[in-house]
Amino acid sequence: MNTPSRQPYPSDITDQQWDLIALLVPGQADLGCPITYERREIVNALLYGARTGCQWRDLPHDFPPWPTVYYYFQHWSADGTLDAIHSALRAQVRVAAGHAAQPSAGILDSQTVKITDQAGPRGYDGGKHIRGRKRHLLVDTLGLLLGVVVTTANVSDAAGARQVALLTKPRFDRLRHVWADSAYGGTLIGWLATWCGWTLEIVTHLVAVHRFVVRKRRWVVERTFGWWNHYRRLSKDYEAQPFHSEAWILLAMTSLMLTRRAPPPKRKPRKKPS
């Protein structure tokens, strides 16, 4: 399927990338109006928003109208389409890297981000001195996302980890070992062993906090946070609903994994002016 004739954006998916997810994107429903805009263009518009961070009303006019794109963002977030695409790609990337489709180990961490002035729940993280929201996530040993829960910033790391664990446990039967920092110690170790059958290993600081030293397995999740710097929609939390914040994280990771599975052709360098 080819997209309409227009100048491509760097965030557009290629034909090879579209082939990887086309069957997972819902097509024409039995009931309802006929499809007006190609599903691939809807996906392109969503990935453009994740990459550039533009507001819905600032979406370029050569994409489908922003209310249409927003409708599918809401619908696909709620019905599990974005999650299904993300999960399928994660399995493909893992297998291509020589791993089993399902992980046996993971890393827990959280990230506190500021929130803008839109409506929605928020809180204050006393440790980071940030008013906003907290992203609790579990990644595999490749840094790929296994589960994410967005809460107000005042929710503790341990409490957020319990929510992530309850979300991911039914989906990953092979998962047995988890690494985390000292914020996840205490009663969480026993709770994860009892309710999830996971062994939680705490990776502690061996040097002064102000010095940077790569710690066992902990650098993996920090690298994931670094990947998110390329997606401006994740620079802060711009959403009224935390559920939509989680959807943008799925879209960012989907874009990243599509690039891994089917790298786009390299751009030709610009000629220097003579």
Side-chain angles (χ1 to χ4, degrees):
M1 181 188 295
N2 294 321
T3 56
S5 177
R6 62 170 174 80
Q7 291 295 317
Y9 294 100
S11 57
D12 284 356
I13 57 177
T14 63
D15 292 340
Q16 291 76 17
Q17 292 172 346
W18 173 245
D19 290 340
L20 294 173
I21 64 173
L23 296 179
L24 299 172
V25 179
Q28 177 66 58
D30 295 334
L31 300 176
C33 300
I35 291 177
T36 303
Y37 302 100
E38 290 189 13
R39 291 295 186 261
R40 179 171 172 178
E41 279 296 272
I42 301 295
V43 173
N44 281 334
L46 291 175
L47 296 183
Y48 179 92
R51 176 72 72 171
T52 65
C54 73
Q55 296 180 349
W56 289 109
R57 289 171 176 80
D58 291 334
L59 201 64
H61 296 296
D62 47 6
F63 282 127
W66 76 263
T68 301
V69 179
Y70 181 60
Y71 166 80
Y72 284 107
F73 172 76
Q74 290 182 303
H75 188 61
W76 290 348
S77 300
D79 69 3
T81 295
L82 297 182
D83 186 54
I85 294 172
H86 174 268
S87 297
L89 287 173
R90 181 186 58 236
Q92 293 178 29
V93 172
R94 285 184 56 83
V95 171
H99 296 260
Q102 280 208 10
S104 60
I107 303 98
L108 275 169
D109 206 353
S110 68
Q111 181 188 53
T112 304
V113 292
K114 294 180 179 179
I115 194 171
T116 54
D117 58 356
Q118 85 282 355
R122 66 198 66 208
Y124 182 75
D125 184 341
K128 301 290 181 61
H129 304 290
I130 293 177
R131 182 173 298 280
R133 291 184 183 150
K134 187 178 288 188
R135 300 161 176 167
H136 307 269
L137 70 157
L138 177 67
V139 302
D140 65 10
T141 54
L142 298 178
L144 304 178
L145 187 69
L146 302 180
V148 60
V149 173
V150 176
T151 67
T152 55
N154 57 298
V155 174
S156 69
D157 289 348
R162 287 180 170 86
Q163 296 185 45
V164 175
L166 293 175
L167 172 69
T168 56
K169 170 56 181 175
R171 305 174 62 180
F172 301 102
D173 297 334
R174 294 183 70 248
L175 192 60
R176 290 292 181 270
H177 195 85
V178 176
W179 289 275
D181 63 24
S182 56
Y184 294 90
T187 59
L188 181 62
I189 298 176
W191 188 92
L192 288 177
T194 301
W195 292 96
C196 301
W198 297 352
T199 301
L200 178 60
E201 179 180 344
I202 302 300
V203 181
T204 58
H205 285 281
L206 300 178
V207 295
V209 176
H210 65 274
R211 286 181 56 196
F212 174 76
V213 174
V214 176
R215 290 178 290 158
K216 178 183 176 182
R217 297 295 182 181
R218 295 284 303 131
W219 64 271
V220 175
V221 68
E222 299 299 338
R223 183 180 60 181
T224 303
F225 292 144
W227 292 338
W228 292 356
N229 290 333
H230 299 285
Y231 298 90
R232 293 188 178 183
R233 192 78 184 199
L234 303 184
S235 62
K236 292 182 180 180
D237 195 317
Y238 297 95
E239 307 307 309
Q241 300 298 327
F243 182 70
H244 286 165
S245 303
E246 298 166 6
W248 283 116
I249 293 173
L250 291 179
L251 282 166
M253 293 301 294
T254 295
S255 173
L256 185 146
M257 291 187 294
L258 282 172
T259 302
R260 288 194 182 185
R261 288 290 293 125
K266 294 183 179 180
R267 301 181 198 171
K268 295 182 180 179
R270 293 183 179 181
K271 294 182 179 180
K272 294 182 179 180
S274 56

